[in-house]
Amino acid sequence: MGRLTGKVAIITGAGSGMGAEQARLFAKEGAKVVGADMNVAGLQAVVDEIKANGGDAIAVKLNISSSEEWISAIQTAVDTFGKLNVLVNTAGIVGPFTFKAVDHDPDEWDKVMAINLKGAFLGCKYAIPEMIKDGGGSIVTVSSIGALIGGQGGTGYGAAKAGLIGMSRNIAVDYGKDNVRSNVICPGQIRTPMSAFLETEDEQAKAAKQYYLGKTPMGHFGDPIDIAYAALFLASDESKFITGTELPVDGGVMAN
């Protein structure tokens, strides 16, 4: 308990799945949480749960691909809690689940890039100045093992997630002397609403599930809390000398 005491954290995608679990855990560990999501109902339910359990949190509706909404969200965080120390870029979409570039619609490509890559970039762009004002901070960006190997998502998805790694490394180098750290988590298959299609009776979904399980040495998918604990470590001072790196949380896929 208390690993984030005194810190203010913005978590995107906090209305469900990995982001919601991060919000709950961060609040439990003492952070003042600014949950951000387009899913207002889900987000408010998470914030209400945090408050009912004695935590401190607010909900902010946020389209992460909008500069204006990012500026407003960060200003709300600072106005409410006085500072900003942590940004967790979790929100994202899967996009078209195809493995072949020729099947990828260009408009869908642009959508995946706008949300999965540009959205995190905008968060970093507007959060970093506030972190510097308070002596530094930690950026945790959720990418995917699809950024590191093929066959783990669509072409656009993999490209966007790989872009997050390049972005994060550059931020680590550019702002290290400002004590702003930047790291990436690369999840494998995690049980979330986004991956729920893998549990359906659709033949393609069943084949995909077996494919991913076959690639995972531990033989099962992860849970949102597995990502939340990794994010907690990278957000806390326990990782104060770690920046510019990627942490796979994948049940051993990258070792296979």
Side-chain angles (χ1 to χ4, degrees), residues 35-179:
D37 206 311
M38 289 287 287
N39 175 10
V40 177
L43 176 60
Q44 192 59 56
V46 172
V47 168
D48 289 345
E49 178 186 341
I50 289 171
K51 290 181 175 179
N53 289 324
D56 200 350
I58 60 171
V60 175
K61 183 180 180 181
L62 174 64
N63 172 1
I64 61 171
S65 63
S66 166
S67 292
E68 291 76 14
E69 292 196 22
W70 261 116
I71 292 169
S72 176
I74 289 174
Q75 191 61 53
T76 297
V78 174
D79 288 346
T80 304
F81 296 123
K83 60 178 181 175
L84 178 62
N85 309 111
V86 177
L87 167 65
V88 186
N89 290 308
T90 305
I93 60 173
V94 174
F97 209 75
T98 175
F99 299 106
K100 298 180 180 179
V102 296
D103 298 327
H104 214 311
D105 180 78
D107 290 336
E108 287 293 333
W109 173 280
D110 290 343
K111 180 180 178 181
V112 170
M113 292 295 168
I115 295 173
N116 287 356
L117 182 54
K118 180 184 177 183
F121 155 70
L122 292 174
C124 296
K125 173 179 173 62
Y126 297 115
I128 289 170
E130 293 300 331
M131 292 180 176
I132 292 174
K133 288 178 185 177
D134 199 54
S138 176
I139 298 169
V140 182
T141 297
V142 178
S143 177
S144 167
I145 57 171
L148 305 172
I149 55 176
Q152 295 290 323
T155 306
Y157 178 84
K161 292 297 188 177
L164 292 174
I165 292 175
M167 178 191 74
S168 180
R169 288 178 177 173
N170 277 275
I171 289 171
V173 172
D174 292 340
Y175 296 97
K177 288 184 173 58
D178 296 303
N179 198 33

Side-chain angles (χ1 to χ4, degrees), residues 216-231:
T216 306
M218 293 189 74
H220 63 83
F221 296 155
D223 296 307
I225 192 64
D226 298 318
I227 306 304
Y229 276 119

Side-chain angles (χ1 to χ4, degrees), residues 184-208:
V184 173
I185 297 171
C186 293
Q189 285 297 324
I190 306 297
R191 298 183 186 92
T192 70
M194 189 180 292
S195 64
F197 72 97
L198 290 174
E199 305 300 333
T200 67
E201 292 302 311
D202 178 82
E203 290 302 318
Q204 186 176 6
K206 288 194 287 187

